[in-house]
Amino acid sequence: MNRTSKFDSFSTGPSKDEIDKFVERAEQEESVDWAGVRRIIGNLERKMKKNLQDRDKHATEPEKFMESEIELDEELHRMNIITTMPEHYYDMAKGTSLIPTLLSLLAHENTDIVCSVLGLLNDISDAEVISEDESGRAETVIDVLGENSVLQHLVTTIMRLDVTDASEAEGVMAALGIIESIIEIDSDIVLSDAPSYKYLIDWVLRVVMSASTAEVRFPQHKVYAAEVLHLLLHNDEADKPVGLYAGSAKVHKTGGEVQGADPKDLFNGTHALLKCLAGYRKRDEPSQEEIEYAENVFNCLCECLMLEVNRELFLKADGVQLMILLIKRRKLKKDTKNKAKKHLLSQFNKLLRDSSIRVLSHAVQGHPSACNTLVDSNGLGSVFGILMLRPKGLDETATAVPGYVLSVLHHCFMYLNQERKTRLLRKFLENDFEKAERLIE
């Protein structure tokens, strides 16, 4: 949903003189030395100070501070020139107050300003740009962001943005980009701020869970949120509690209760991820974005299942049965004549099948009850069905998927009782020992 910018009613379009000045300024900014960078930063600080003064003086008369607000927004966009010069990042971070200034602007009342700041910070913190600095000192900008409680600022900001609004959703995407870059360069900055980290995990998971309207394109911010959630869980230590907040109740990602929490407020992260996947039992027209989203949700679930308590929750939430259903999923709409859609559907079915067996390989580790449930739910046929598949062409998962199947079978042989183990052994006798021959292959 597009909205009218707060600046639209005050803009009449650039005049010829303004265009000429813009071109002249662009030519001057093609090569900016350190003195030029300081001058640009100084201009921003002056514009911000003027806008704050005007807002304070004319709090009830927006038309009187809107001009300075437009100038501030323009200055923020003009600063994009410095994002192409990582060689100045060290001096910029250590020798100026730019980082604290930008972070303070995240509290601005105008969300257009906030989104512009997020976009600028995203460009400045881009890990690829930072890596271009041969001296290695550009990473200092990430250190300074950490020293100024960047995660706290970002979490507070994204919670006030409306992801259903197109322009604010772009701001959310930029915020997620900042978090991704920080994790890539120094994940401790994110993990060490425990209170903000807990709220971040909760917010990201809720975005991942949020409903999507079938009539519109799959939301890109949901795809990115799922990717960032995977990065957060992957970089967290296996034995470290990842807090989720539901109302005032604290709940670990394991879903474990915290003393004093109201049971009705408890928020189970593992169950939430299963709910995200449950809808794919009959989904037959996925988009490329949705396939990427589903892959990241599967990745998040595998990270959660590293913990024993999560494997318990997975079992209680009928996670084993859901994975079996996703493996058995019927390939709907086979008669479609659209080759692109047929390719996407084929890719989607393969993702669900391969990812589900990967999840099961995590779920059965050290967990006899999961193995029993797999057999009792008639899941052996699905597991062996994957084993019997022979990859076509150059398949990246050709070696990984059989490994997941073998892991499941290994744990079943370890933990099943005699009756269930006999059912498992009989599978190898079917069709002239074809499954045993496949194992030898």
Side-chain angles (χ1 to χ4, degrees), residues 176-233:
L176 292 172
I178 298 166
I179 294 168
E180 181 183 19
S181 294
I182 293 174
I183 292 174
E184 184 174 341
I185 294 173
D186 187 359
S187 60
D188 285 343
I189 292 176
V190 174
L191 298 175
S192 61
D193 186 354
S196 300
Y197 181 55
K198 292 175 182 179
Y199 279 108
L200 174 64
I201 287 282
D202 177 57
W203 180 88
V204 172
L205 184 55
R206 291 177 189 279
V207 172
V208 171
M209 287 180 63
S210 61
S212 303
T213 305
E215 289 76 17
V216 299
R217 183 179 178 183
F218 195 83
Q220 192 63 41
H221 66 269
K222 278 189 64 173
V223 179
Y224 206 0
E227 180 181 346
V228 170
L229 180 59
H230 174 225
L231 286 173
L232 291 168
L233 295 175

Side-chain angles (χ1 to χ4, degrees), residues 325-363:
L325 288 173
L326 291 176
I327 293 172
K328 290 180 176 179
R329 197 181 100 98
R330 294 182 181 277
K331 299 180 179 180
L332 306 176
K333 289 197 174 180
K334 291 182 180 179
D335 58 339
T336 179
K337 295 180 180 180
N338 187 311
K339 289 185 178 180
K341 287 185 177 181
K342 285 181 70 174
H343 175 72
L344 280 177
L345 185 55
S346 175
Q347 183 183 353
F348 191 49
N349 286 326
K350 184 178 184 304
L351 169 69
L352 294 178
R353 182 187 66 232
D354 294 352
S355 298
S356 295
I357 193 65
R358 179 162 65 102
V359 169
L360 286 175
S361 73
H362 284 79

Side-chain angles (χ1 to χ4, degrees), residues 58 82 91 106 144 211 232 237 250 306-307 314 348 351 399:
H58 308 289
I82 69 174
D91 294 324
L106 292 178
V144 174
L232 291 168
E237 297 173 10
K250 295 179 181 178
M306 294 291 184
L307 297 180
F314 178 83
F348 191 49
L351 169 69
T399 56

Side-chain angles (χ1 to χ4, degrees), residues 167 184 286 430:
S167 60
E184 184 174 341
E430 296 174 351

